[in-house]
């Protein structure tokens, strides 16, 4: 209807046309792209720019750059005045990425490129890239949360260690041997807790950075589960708390025995601590959907306890999630999943036929090529 709108459409078409020569649709770019001509008027404002600035492209096109993008730095200074792309030093070619503010305090990461037709000639185009800071803020927030949680988890055992040692040092004579032993046992257990927590955090950092090493060798998974059960029975649990069912023959399994032990120990400990009744372990070969392909081994650990509520199932493998008061640090299943995936396997959670929780992980054979 108005002249302004028509000219905006024209320039928009020009922007798309220029990009089309390169086979690119600016609206498909994940980052905001804003281009201004030699007079500082916006000739391109892609879909991501419109989303990030909450300004429709039709309103931005044909406008002056400083009106379409009224950016301010964190001290409240107007960025276009400060950087003066058209009047500044004729050798300047770019502005490095900066964190700037849009009206309403919206944060945005901005960088700009000045295009000149001759090396020190006038600016022909200003190309501005805009990036949303939401993704960056989200990672920063999750790091901050992780640090806060870790600090909190470390503080409670250390507070207890400090409390008991200080009391013993100050009033050594006033306690009986039994009382001293009890306090030292608590200190010992708390020190173990800190050590374990630190080992878990190191595992997590390896998993998160993809540095978890898997040293493969043949693993007899049935025997490994048997050893864990024996350890529980030796520690006083009734032998009939466990039911191990092995389906034979199993394909050879090449895996890291220490890490598989860690997986089994976490799953069995969870079943005993958070579950109830008989803990059933089923070990079966997995059929490959395609013939002639590697098969694998599946291990299912199920119990007869309360199970995991349906709505929490997708959260059990996240760090620090714990469902009940009896929970530990909530890192166990996160590490289990990391280890299984480092082996190229998968893990799922569901409801056991007896009503409790059921964890099932599958490991591919992964034998060295010369053996397959
Ligand atoms: N077999 C199970 N039955 C019921 N709830 C379970 C079972 N296994 C895990 N959970 C729930 O999932 C939560 C997370 O388990 P995870 O092993 O990650 O942490 P945790 O056992 O609390 O602590 P950690 O293993 O780090 O000592 C537990 O706190 C518990 O609420
Ligand atoms: Mg656990």
């Amino acid at each position: 209807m108005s002249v302004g709108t028509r000219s905006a459409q024209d320039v928009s078409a020009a922007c798309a046309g220029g990009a089309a020569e390169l086979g690119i649709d600016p609206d498909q770019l994940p980052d905001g792209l804003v281009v201004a001509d030699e007079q500082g008027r916006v000739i391109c404002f892609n879909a991501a720019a419109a989303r990030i600035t909450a300004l429709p492209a039709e309103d931005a096109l044909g406008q002056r750059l400083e009106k379409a993008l009224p950016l301010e730095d964190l001290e409240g200074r107007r960025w276009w005045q400060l950087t003066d792309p058209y009047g500044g030093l004729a050798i300047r070619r770019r502005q490095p990425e900066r964190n700037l503010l849009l009206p309403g305090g919206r944060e945005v990461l901005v960088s700009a490129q000045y295009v000149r037709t001759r090396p020190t000639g006038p600016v022909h185009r200003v190309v501005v890239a805009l990036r949303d800071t939401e993704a960056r803020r989200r990672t920063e927030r999750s790091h901050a949360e992780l640090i806060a949680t870790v600090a909190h988890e470390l503080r409670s055992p250390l507070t207890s260690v400090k409390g008991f040692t200080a009391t013993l040092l100050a009033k050594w004579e006033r306690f009986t041997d039994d009382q001293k032993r009890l306090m030292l046992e608590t200190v010992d257990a708390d020190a173990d807790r800190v050590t374990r927590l630190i080992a878990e955090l190191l595992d997590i950092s390896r998993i998160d950075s993809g540095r978890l090493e898997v040293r493969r060798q043949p693993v007899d998974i049935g025997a490994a589960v048997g050893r864990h059960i024996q350890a529980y029975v030796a520690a006083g649990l009734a032998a009939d708390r466990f039911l191990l069912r092995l389906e034979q023959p199993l394909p050879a399994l090449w895996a890291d025995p220490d890490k598989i032990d860690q997986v089994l120990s976490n799953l069995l400990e969870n079943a005993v601590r958070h579950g109830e009744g008989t803990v059933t372990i089923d070990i079966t070969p997995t059929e490959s959907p395609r013939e002639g392909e590697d098969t694998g081994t599946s291990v299912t650990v199920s119990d007869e306890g309360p199970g995991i509520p349906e709505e929490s199932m997708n959260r059990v493998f996240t760090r620090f999630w714990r469902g009940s008061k009896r929970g530990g640090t909530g890192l166990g299943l996160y590490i289990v999943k990391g280890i299984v995936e480092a082996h190229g396997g998968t893990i799922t959670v569901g409801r056991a036929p007896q009503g409790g929780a059921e964890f099932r992980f599958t490991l591919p054979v992964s034998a060295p090529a010369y053996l397959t």
Side-chain angles (χ1 to χ4, degrees), residues 196 200 265-271 273-274 321 327-334 336:
R196 180 177 155 186
E200 286 183 336
S265 130
N266 266 297
L267 292 180
L268 293 175
E269 192 204 300
N270 280 353
R273 182 152 55 123
H274 307 301
W321 187 82
T329 33
L331 294 176
L333 288 173
Y334 182 80
V336 163

Side-chain angles (χ1 to χ4, degrees), residues 83-129:
T83 52
D84 191 15
Y86 294 91
L89 275 180
I91 48 160
R92 174 152 291 155
R93 293 173 52 194
R94 57 186 286 268
Q95 287 293 333
E97 192 167 66
R98 292 273 313 266
N99 195 359
L100 298 172
L101 298 174
L102 282 165
R106 223 182 155 107
E107 270 185 73
V108 58
L109 292 169
V110 183
S111 59
Q113 201 76 34
Y114 305 155
V115 183
R116 301 174 197 274
T117 39
R118 289 177 283 117
T120 53
V123 170
H124 175 62
R125 295 280 186 266
V126 173
V127 182
V128 185

